[in-house]
Amino acid sequence: MTEPSASPAGESAKPELAPGQQFHPLAFAGRVFSPLTGAVAIFGDHIILLGRSLAWLFRPPFRLRLFFEQMEFVGVGSLPIIMLVGFFTGAVTALQAILALSLFEQQRYVGFGVGISLARELAPVFTALMITARAGSGMATELASMRITEQVDALTTFAVNPVQYLVTPRLVASCLMLPVMNMVFNVVGLIGVYVVAIVSYHIDLGQVLELFRHGVDPIDYIEGLIKAFFFGLTMATCACYQGLNVRGGAKEVGLATTRAVVSTSVTVLVLDYFLIQIMNVLFPYGGL
Amino acid sequence: MADDPQSRSDRWQIRIRDLHKSFGTQHVLRGVNLDIERGKINIIIGGSGQGKSVFMKHLMGLLAPDSGHIYVDGQDIIGLGDVAMGKIQRKFGMVFQYAALFDSMNVVENIAFPLLERYRLPKTEVMERVRALLTLLDLAKTAGIEQKFPAELSGGMRKRVGLARALIDRPEILLYDEPTTGLDPIATKNVDEMIRRTADEFGVTSVVISHDMASTFRIADRVAMLYEGLIVANGTRKEVLASPNPVLREFVETSGAVQFGGGPS
C-alpha cells in the first residue's frame, strides 16, 4: 500500500521535505555554494602545501642529492622535448610572421616579432606546458603510487617528513629548472627563426639582427624568466598536491595525474594573464 | 600508582584510553581502551573494515585521533610537536601489509634508509648491520639480493626486507599490519616464525593486526578483538579462548582454525 500524497493531485510540483525535516536556509545555501566553497578549500590546501614545503626548505636535514635528482628529472630529462618544441615553435611562428609581414614588404621584422613573442610569451608558457606534460605528470604519478602503496606512511614511521622529503626538492627543482629550460626554448626557437627566415626565405641576416637587437630588450627575457619561475612553482605544487592526496587504487592514480596536468595547465594560463598585468606595471613595454 | 597510564609501567608499554576517530560521518573508533604488554606478541583481530589499520596508525602518530589518549611508556603522544613525536617514533618500527618498500631503492638502500636518515654512520658499519639482518632473516642466501629492487622480490621476501628495515634501528616496539595477507600457507608459517623469533631474540614488543586466526593462536601472547570500533575481548590466548563473547566466538569458530576451549585445530 502506498502512502497518501501530502499534496493534492494536480498541484504544481514543489520540492517536498520528508516528514520531520525542516527547511534550513543556511544548510540550503551551503549546498548551493558547495562547489564554490570546495574550490576555495582546495585552493587553500594548495597554498598550505606550498607554505609547508617552503618552510621545510630551511630546516635540516638538507638532502642535496634529492634536489639534484629532481633537477635532473625536471631539467635534463626535459631537454629533448623542449628543444624539439622550441625549434618548431620558432620556425612556425616565423613562417606565419613572414607571410603576414610580406603584405607590407617588411619581412625583415621577423626576428624582432618572433623574438619578442618567444621571450615574453611563447617560451615561458610552452615550456611550462611541455614540462607539466612530462615532469608534472611524472611527479603526480610517482607520489600517488607512493601514497597508495603506503610508502609515504613508511617515510613518516622513520620520522622523515614527507613534505620535506618529497615536495620541497620537487618545488625547488621546478622553480630553478623552468627558467633554465625557458632560456633553452628561446635559443632553440631563434635557431628555428634563422632556418626559416634566413635559410629558406633568404631575408637579409644583417637587417633581421639589427631590428632584433633594437626591439628585443633584456627586460623581455627577465619577464619570461620571472614567469617561468612562477609556472614552476605552480606545476610542482599542483602535481605534488594531487599525488599526495590520492585515495584508492590504480584508477585514482590515473585520475590524479590527469587532474595534476589539467589543473597546472589551466592555472598557468590564468596566472600568465595576471603576471602580464603586474609586469606591465613593473616593466612598462618600450617597443622599438 | 601501578594502574595509572601516565606513569611508566614495567608490564604495559602502550596504554590506549578512550580513543575516538571519525572520517566524515563514519565513526571508526568509538572509544578504544587497550593495554599492550611489554616484550610480548599482542595480536589485534577483527573483520575487515572494523578499524584495525586505523587503530594501528594512531599508535605511532600516522593519524591523529578526534579524542582520547595513547601513552607510550607513560608519555601521552597525542598533540606532540614534530620533534617530540619524532623521538617517540624512533621507538617504533612498522611492517606494512604490502611491505611499503621504496620502489626507487634497492634492498640495501631500503634496509639502510632509517640509519642513513637518522645518523652519520660509516658506510662499513651500515653494511655490517644490513648484512647481519639479511642473514638473520634468511635473505642472504638469495643470490644478488642486495642489489635487487622491490619489484624483483616475491611477496614473502618483500615482507622480510620490510621487517629488516623496521628492525635495523633496533626499535622497542614493532607494529605489523596484517603480515600474512596474500601469502601461501608455507610463507605464512615462515612469517609467523619470523615474528616469534624477532620477539624472542630482540625482546621487542610486537603489535600485530591480523584476521588470520591460525596465525594468531599459533604465536600470540595476548589477543584483543576490535569490533565496530570497540575492544570487545582482550586477554591472554587462553583467556580469549575461554571468552563467552558471542561475536568473538563466531569470528574465531567460523575461521575453523581453532576451537573454543582448545588450541589450534
Side-chain angles (χ1 to χ4, degrees):
Chain A
M1 199 178 89
T2 54
E3 288 289 318
S5 171
S7 57
E11 197 174 292
S12 63
K14 261 195 324 191
E16 285 179 18
L17 295 166
Q21 193 182 349
Q22 287 185 339
F23 179 76
H24 295 287
L26 276 178
F28 177 74
R31 279 200 300 277
V32 169
F33 291 108
S34 66
L36 183 66
T37 53
V40 172
I42 289 171
F43 178 73
D45 287 343
H46 279 79
I47 299 296
I48 289 168
L49 179 67
L50 176 62
R52 286 177 62 204
S53 175
L54 292 175
W56 276 107
L57 178 61
F58 303 102
R59 291 172 68 173
F62 304 105
R63 303 174 182 91
L64 284 180
R65 184 182 55 84
L66 295 180
F67 287 86
F68 286 119
E69 274 176 14
Q70 288 305 317
M71 283 162 74
E72 188 196 1
F73 175 62
V74 176
V76 181
S78 304
L79 208 51
I81 187 82
I82 289 298
M83 290 174 76
L84 187 71
V85 174
F87 178 85
F88 283 102
T89 304
V92 167
T93 316
L95 209 54
Q96 298 286 16
I98 289 167
L99 291 177
L101 291 167
S102 63
L103 296 173
F104 317 102
E105 296 288 330
Q106 296 293 337
Q107 294 94 318
R108 62 206 170 107
Y109 279 94
V110 65
F112 156 66
V114 180
I116 205 162
S117 304
L118 280 170
R120 295 170 69 102
E121 208 54 56
L122 295 176
V125 171
F126 278 25
T127 301
L129 295 179
M130 284 299 114
I131 294 187
T132 297
R134 204 199 76 84
S137 61
M139 284 179 195
T141 309
E142 186 181 1
L143 296 196
S145 301
M146 288 184 75
R147 167 62 81 191
I148 64 164
T149 54
E150 295 184 306
Q151 292 175 53
V152 177
D153 285 341
L155 281 176
T156 313
T157 65
F158 304 123
V160 173
N161 187 288
V163 172
Q164 187 189 27
Y165 194 86
L166 298 172
V167 183
T168 305
R170 284 167 172 78
L171 186 78
V172 172
S174 301
C175 289
L176 291 178
M177 294 317 290
L178 255 81
V180 174
M181 289 297 109
N182 168 64
M183 287 314 295
V184 171
F185 194 107
N186 269 303
V187 171
V188 180
L190 289 176
I191 293 172
V193 176
Y194 178 87
V195 169
V196 170
I198 314 301
V199 178
S200 296
Y201 280 80
H202 309 294
I203 300 167
D204 182 63
L205 176 62
Q207 287 191 30
V208 171
L209 276 180
E210 187 61 15
L211 286 166
F212 176 83
R213 204 168 59 80
H214 273 289
V216 184
D217 199 85
I219 288 290
D220 297 321
Y221 286 101
I222 290 170
E223 278 191 29
L225 290 173
I226 293 170
K227 277 186 186 180
F229 173 87
F230 283 104
F231 294 162
L233 198 81
T234 304
M235 181 193 78
T237 308
C238 290
C240 293
Y241 175 83
Q242 294 297 344
L244 287 178
N245 284 286
V246 75
R247 293 280 179 280
K251 188 181 172 195
E252 280 72 18
V253 173
L255 290 174
T257 307
T258 307
R259 277 197 300 269
V261 173
V262 172
S263 64
T264 306
S265 305
V266 171
T267 311
V268 159
L269 295 173
V270 173
L271 185 65
D272 188 34
Y273 173 82
F274 290 105
L275 286 174
I276 292 169
Q277 296 286 29
I278 291 167
M279 283 191 284
N280 279 348
V281 175
L282 293 177
F283 314 111
Y285 178 58
L288 266 174
Chain B
M1 202 173 94
D3 214 34
D4 177 9
Q6 295 187 53
S7 63
R8 193 183 185 283
S9 158
D10 283 339
R11 185 174 180 197
W12 309 112
Q13 185 150 29
I14 308 175
R15 312 190 84 174
I16 299 108
R17 294 291 176 268
D18 200 26
L19 199 71
H20 288 262
K21 179 70 178 179
S22 297
F23 295 99
T25 55
Q26 202 182 351
H27 202 166
V28 181
L29 302 180
R30 298 164 179 265
V32 173
N33 289 292
L34 184 65
D35 290 335
I36 302 293
E37 192 167 351
R38 194 181 294 277
K40 302 285 184 191
I41 298 177
N42 302 261
I43 300 193
I44 298 158
I45 59 172
S48 302
Q50 300 295 334
K52 300 192 301 293
S53 292
V54 169
F55 170 70
M56 180 168 270
K57 285 183 176 176
H58 280 82
L59 294 185
M60 63 180 307
L62 297 181
L63 285 174
D66 298 336
S67 65
H69 302 276
I70 297 172
Y71 301 94
V72 177
D73 289 325
Q75 186 185 2
D76 191 353
I77 66 166
I78 306 305
L80 287 181
D82 282 351
V83 177
M85 194 65 206
K87 282 183 185 162
I88 292 288
Q89 282 170 337
R90 287 183 186 194
K91 291 186 178 193
F92 286 85
M94 185 157 178
V95 182
F96 287 85
Q97 191 172 356
Y98 298 106
L101 300 177
F102 301 120
D103 297 329
S104 56
M105 299 180 194
N106 63 27
V107 166
V108 168
E109 288 164 342
N110 261 292
I111 298 174
F113 184 82
L115 290 184
L116 299 176
E117 276 299 318
R118 291 171 185 171
Y119 316 104
R120 288 185 181 277
L121 293 174
K123 204 179 169 189
T124 49
E125 190 183 334
V126 173
M127 281 310 294
E128 255 174 45
R129 283 169 72 170
V130 170
R131 289 195 176 123
L133 278 169
L134 287 174
T135 307
L136 187 78
L137 296 171
D138 294 332
L139 285 162
K141 56 192 173 193
T142 308
I145 182 87
E146 290 181 6
Q147 299 308 317
K148 286 194 173 179
F149 281 83
E152 301 170 271
L153 303 175
S154 69
M157 285 169 91
R158 279 171 176 227
K159 288 220 162 120
R160 278 182 281 167
V161 174
L163 177 63
R165 188 179 63 177
L167 278 174
I168 196 150
D169 199 21
R170 294 159 189 158
E172 293 176 36
I173 306 159
L174 257 181
L175 309 179
Y176 298 85
D177 188 3
E178 303 199 9
T180 55
T181 300
L183 297 182
D184 63 64
I186 303 291
T188 298
K189 191 165 166 273
N190 288 340
V191 169
D192 286 347
E193 280 169 7
M194 178 185 84
I195 294 171
R196 184 75 259 174
R197 210 167 53 169
T198 307
D200 294 342
E201 286 182 20
F202 293 87
V204 295
T205 303
S206 307
V207 183
V208 185
I209 292 286
S210 181
H211 51 216
D212 182 340
M213 289 303 100
S215 287
T216 298
F217 287 96
R218 195 154 50 217
I219 59 170
D221 293 311
R222 294 185 66 82
V223 180
M225 181 171 186
L226 191 63
Y227 179 71
E228 292 188 345
L230 284 168
I231 296 291
V232 293
N234 178 24
T236 61
R237 201 164 31 172
K238 243 183 190 171
E239 287 166 351
V240 167
L241 282 175
S243 168
N245 186 295
V247 176
L248 175 78
R249 291 185 79 96
E250 189 192 350
F251 189 77
V252 174
E253 278 175 348
T254 309
S255 74
V258 281
Q259 291 169 342
F260 270 85
S265 58

